[in-house]
Amino acid sequence: MEKLGWRDRRISPDSGSLFQTFPSFRPWVNVAQKTEVQQEDDYRTGPVLVAVTLSGGGARAAAFGLGVLKELKRTEFTLDGRPTTLLDEVALVSGVSGGSILAAHYAAFGDQTLERFEPEFLLKPFESTLLKQVFYPNHLFDLTSPWFGRTHILAQRLDELYEGMTFGDVRKNSKAPSLMITATDLTTGAPFDFTPEQFALICSDLNSVPLSFAVASSSAVPIILSPMTLHNFSDRCGKALFPPDRSASGSPDFRIQMLQQSSEGYLDANARPYIHLVDGGVSDNLGIRLMIDRLMANGSVYNSFPGVLRHSIRRIVLVAVNSARDLATRVDLSDEVPSTGEVLETLLYGAGARETQMTLALLENDIKRMAAELDEARSREDSPFSADVEIHLINVSLRDLEEPDIRTSLLRVPTAFTIEAFDVRALQDAGSAALRSSNAFQRLKQSLDHLDKH
């Protein structure tokens, strides 16, 4: 069936279509879940489980992340007697802002992304075209609507990139990894991810959400772009993340308590009938926090794999890609009053860098805790983990580049939807090189080489 573009979907907002042609122009709105049971993700499972998280950073992050994906594809090993690659075993891909553009493309098109993404996005004049479209007569009319903002124009362009695909289209493909896109709840400042768990809280149908809407929400830099809005239908069938018999209120873990508080805030649709979303990098530029917090909230890593065959999981791998750059201007080098642009950049990227370091530190501790849990779980008769199970965390950052001149140059590439073609290719090479040079990655490769020998 032919995919409909963003502008082709008109009818009424309650139908879940993208646009209606009324004097007060309304963009696409989400719809309520049709049943009380929110469809859960059928996460791919196998002996080797790989998750890849792609940070924010505009086209810089997308190009650097693409280089990492290409290196994962080049990493071959034998599993149960068949040849495979690390990219083939990716069960989850997560993205924030610029990283979400790549994450959604890979979830939608798989290995085609390795060849298509560069010419279809990275080398296209995406940003200049976007700016021109703002002044198209039809968009100038659209922008007079109180329900239509600048980010909706971005979503229209992204809808072309993703060929009109929705989360439902991705989830119907058994070979596609699960997709997680992270935005920020403007009111609470907490991460808001496009996942079944999050949409169960607001009783909304994730399958009907266009990939373009989620990615645009995750990329909606405050002030520069407008927030994106979701309807909260929790008064119809909102499902609490923590059932009464498994409340987190008594947990000594402050992060789990905060997760419960944030989750329960969505269950009162009268108090919060609408959820406004902005750039995911405001709350978590790595797109990891909610994923790890929910894993911890389950009580143990053992509880996070229900229904998995006994002793079947042998390697768990998390590849965290951090494409953060240096500040273009250091305001603390001058006694002049910082400009609005300098303040915005410092708040987003300076303070954001501190949050990223905190997230990475928390992640390191969580991985150590999970490794200890795996040591205990592997001996259980009903354990999903094999006796030789291992967990590997691989952090990949632009700052890991060994060549100082290249590192300095790429850390200065701006955060934009379009960057120079030379930088596009240099960043891809850098992503591959940074992964290859990682000691953690080399240890993983050695582990995988011996996987079929036991």
Side-chain angles (χ1 to χ4, degrees):
M1 185 175 72
E2 184 181 359
K3 292 291 180 187
L4 295 178
W6 184 279
R7 271 217 162 267
D8 296 321
R9 308 177 191 185
R10 296 182 179 268
I11 317 178
S12 68
D14 290 334
S15 71
S17 57
L18 285 176
F19 285 104
Q20 64 174 358
T21 52
F22 290 98
S24 294
F25 187 64
R26 283 181 180 270
W28 176 88
V29 293
N30 60 307
V31 296
Q33 182 71 18
K34 294 180 180 178
T35 67
E36 292 190 1
V37 179
Q38 173 76 34
Q39 180 181 347
E40 296 182 354
D41 245 331
D42 296 323
Y43 292 106
R44 288 169 49 187
T45 58
V48 176
L49 296 178
V50 182
V52 178
T53 64
L54 302 166
S55 81
R60 180 188 66 255
F64 187 67
L66 182 59
V68 172
L69 295 186
K70 288 182 175 180
E71 189 62 30
L72 290 175
K73 186 64 178 180
R74 286 190 283 263
T75 306
E76 301 175 342
F77 63 101
T78 302
L79 182 62
D80 294 337
R82 61 177 175 85
T84 187
T85 73
L86 269 178
L87 189 62
D88 295 338
E89 303 304 319
V90 170
L92 170 69
V93 59
S94 166
V96 177
S97 196
S100 74
I101 302 175
L102 174 61
H105 199 280
Y106 180 70
F109 304 115
D111 283 357
Q112 293 182 44
T113 294
L114 304 182
E115 301 299 328
R116 290 176 51 180
F117 191 72
E118 181 183 289
E120 291 182 5
F121 175 74
L122 291 173
L123 296 182
K124 284 282 184 71
F126 194 90
E127 187 163 311
S128 61
T129 302
L130 188 64
L131 291 172
K132 290 178 183 177
Q133 289 184 340
V134 170
F135 296 100
Y136 285 179
N138 60 317
H139 286 154
L140 289 174
F141 171 75
D142 296 346
L143 287 166
T144 64
S145 168
W147 300 287
F148 189 90
R150 295 179 298 280
T151 307
H152 290 99
I153 300 175
L154 168 62
Q156 291 177 12
R157 289 284 290 115
L158 290 169
D159 206 50
E160 297 170 9
L161 179 66
Y162 302 129
E163 300 178 2
M165 292 185 69
T166 65
F167 275 82
D169 294 323
V170 171
R171 296 172 72 190
K172 283 187 294 187
N173 182 0
S174 61
K175 295 182 179 180
S178 295
L179 174 64
M180 175 176 166
I181 302 296
T182 301
T184 298
D185 185 322
L186 179 61
T187 299
T188 66
F192 182 103
D193 57 359
F194 286 76
T195 59
E197 294 89 348
Q198 186 74 59
F199 271 65
L201 292 171
I202 62 173
C203 189
S204 186
D205 179 21
L206 177 63
N207 285 338
S208 68
V209 177
L211 299 181
S212 54
F213 181 93
V215 174
S217 300
S218 182
S219 306
V221 178
I223 301 176
I224 297 174
L225 292 171
S226 54
M228 297 290 270
T229 303
L230 289 172
H231 286 215
N232 185 358
F233 301 104
S234 62
D235 54 337
R236 303 189 190 184
C237 66
K239 179 182 177 183
L241 181 63
F242 297 92
D245 61 344
R246 195 166 60 83
S247 173
S249 58
S251 171
D253 193 318
F254 179 70
R255 289 160 56 197
I256 296 178
Q257 294 178 32
M258 291 297 294
L259 177 62
Q260 180 183 30
Q261 180 179 334
S262 175
S263 300
E264 290 179 350
Y266 295 107
L267 296 179
D268 187 351
N270 292 322
R272 299 196 68 195
Y274 304 102
I275 311 299
H276 300 287
L277 304 175
V278 295
D279 193 301
V282 173
S283 58
D284 176 14
N285 199 46
L286 295 176
I288 291 176
R289 284 232 181 162
L290 270 179
M291 179 172 62
I292 298 298
D293 287 353
R294 288 200 184 111
L295 193 65
M296 293 296 101
N298 279 332
S300 70
V301 66
Y302 172 85
N303 293 334
S304 299
F305 295 93
V308 176
L309 292 175
R310 290 188 314 117
H311 305 159
S312 62
I313 300 176
R314 302 182 64 186
R315 299 292 183 273
I316 301 173
V317 181
L318 174 58
V319 181
V321 183
N322 179 11
S323 305
R325 69 172 175 89
D326 287 340
L327 292 172
T329 304
R330 294 294 300 248
V331 296
D332 45 8
L333 294 178
S334 171
D335 63 351
E336 296 179 0
V337 175
S339 68
T340 301
E342 290 171 339
V343 170
L344 181 60
E345 182 193 63
T346 303
L347 285 174
L348 286 175
Y349 305 119
R354 179 177 180 274
E355 286 296 316
T356 294
Q357 292 305 311
M358 290 177 59
T359 299
L360 288 173
L362 289 170
L363 180 61
E364 293 275 1
N365 289 335
D366 289 338
I367 292 296
K368 290 178 182 178
R369 178 163 42 169
M370 290 180 200
E373 291 177 4
L374 289 175
D375 283 339
E376 297 179 4
R378 76 178 81 219
S379 61
R380 295 178 56 168
E381 180 62 29
D382 59 346
S383 172
F385 308 111
S386 68
D388 64 345
V389 66
E390 297 174 3
I391 186 167
H392 294 260
L393 170 63
I394 302 165
N395 290 314
V396 186
S397 170
L398 273 171
R399 291 181 171 81
D400 294 337
L401 297 176
E402 296 176 348
E403 177 55 51
D405 290 342
I406 295 176
R407 181 175 64 245
T408 300
S409 174
L410 295 182
L411 283 171
R412 291 176 178 170
V413 174
T415 299
F417 287 115
T418 302
I419 57 178
E420 296 294 333
F422 173 82
D423 289 330
V424 166
R425 296 190 172 101
L427 282 160
Q428 290 180 67
D429 292 341
S432 297
L435 181 59
R436 283 195 305 270
S437 65
S438 164
N439 291 331
F441 183 65
Q442 292 303 321
R443 287 193 294 271
L444 171 63
K445 288 181 65 176
Q446 292 175 5
S447 175
L448 294 175
D449 287 342
H450 294 88
L451 199 58
D452 248 24
K453 298 178 182 178
H454 293 284

